[in-house]
Amino acid sequence: MRRYGLSDSQWERIKDLLPGREGHVGGTAADNRLFVKAVLYRYRAGIPWRDLPARFGDWKNVHRRLRRWCEGGVIERIFQHLAANCDNDYMMIDSTIVQAHQHSAGARKKKGVDQAIGRSRGGLTSKIHAIIDAAGKAVALSLTPGQRADITEAEPLLDEVDPKAFIADKAYDADPLIETLEARQITAVIPSRKNRRDPRKISFRLYKNRNIIERFFARLKQFRGIATRYDKLKSTFFAAVQLVSAIIGIN
């Protein structure tokens, strides 16, 4: 992908999944590609919405449209559609912390909605959890407050995939997860903690491939609006994570 753009191949993969496309119920939108580029630009540059360049149109309209797509599940459908074509040979899980800017706090709490922002000595943080396939493409994602333990998201995310082998670091060495993998006949490539009485033998040749997920997070955080969270609403920020993950996963 070009630094602030959307390549033709990337556009071809997602254009038929968007509302407003030709033949779709309702009006036809002539600027779907421009809108997606505007959203990617905002998160790549990490700028406030009101600083969006004029060539993308009124920033309020862009933000309003993004919120409609979030609420309508459009971006989630894009991510799930692209994630369905995955490499099941092996997958890996990990998480990454993102600092939440002070402007991301203060969202109105309605019906106890969790905005996935945690408070700790390091300040405000959110945590992105991801499962990546052997090709380096995100196939399952979640967002939690920064202090949430990695292991808590492992089984919920694992429910969305079916790999032959599952790679993770020692933070995921927990009996319930290992038992779930064994019950599903998935090979656990997870090093044992030092305090485990009966350490498991694993394929360290396969475990070395865990660097794939580290490279994925490195690419994801090239988008400054994701490396630092500015969005107040979890749904908006998570939709951005899903969209960027889907786009960078397109070869």
Side-chain angles (χ1 to χ4, degrees), residues 117-177:
I117 296 178
R119 295 180 181 273
S120 63
R121 291 182 179 180
L124 301 175
T125 57
S126 295
K127 183 180 285 188
I128 301 170
H129 305 259
I131 291 182
I132 307 300
D133 72 1
K137 180 172 65 177
V139 293
L141 295 165
S142 67
L143 183 69
T144 67
Q147 74 275 15
R148 185 74 59 83
D150 292 353
I151 191 64
T152 60
E153 294 298 298
E155 291 197 48
L157 289 178
L158 191 59
D159 287 341
E160 302 179 30
V161 296
D162 189 27
K164 296 177 182 178
F166 194 63
I167 305 172
D169 61 25
K170 292 181 180 180
Y172 296 89
D173 179 25
D175 289 338
L177 177 59

Side-chain angles (χ1 to χ4, degrees), residues 160-225:
E160 302 179 30
V161 296
D162 189 27
K164 296 177 182 178
F166 194 63
I167 305 172
D169 61 25
K170 292 181 180 180
Y172 296 89
D173 179 25
D175 289 338
L177 177 59
I178 301 301
E179 291 168 3
T180 296
L181 293 172
E182 290 177 347
R184 291 180 54 183
Q185 298 183 333
I186 299 173
T187 302
V189 187
I190 305 174
S192 300
R193 294 178 182 269
K194 291 183 179 180
N195 60 356
R196 184 173 283 277
R197 294 183 178 180
D198 186 18
R200 297 182 312 282
K201 293 182 179 180
I202 67 167
S203 170
F204 282 98
R205 178 189 60 80
L206 195 55
Y207 183 72
K208 289 180 180 180
N209 292 319
R210 205 178 68 83
N211 71 85
I212 294 174
I213 196 168
E214 302 295 345
R215 297 203 303 269
F216 165 78
F217 283 134
R219 292 186 67 193
L220 186 64
K221 285 188 171 184
Q222 287 176 4
F223 287 75
R224 298 182 65 186

Side-chain angles (χ1 to χ4, degrees), residues 52-64:
L52 197 66
R55 66 178 180 274
F56 294 118
D58 188 339
W59 69 268
K60 291 182 180 179
N61 291 336
V62 176
H63 181 262
R64 189 179 298 116

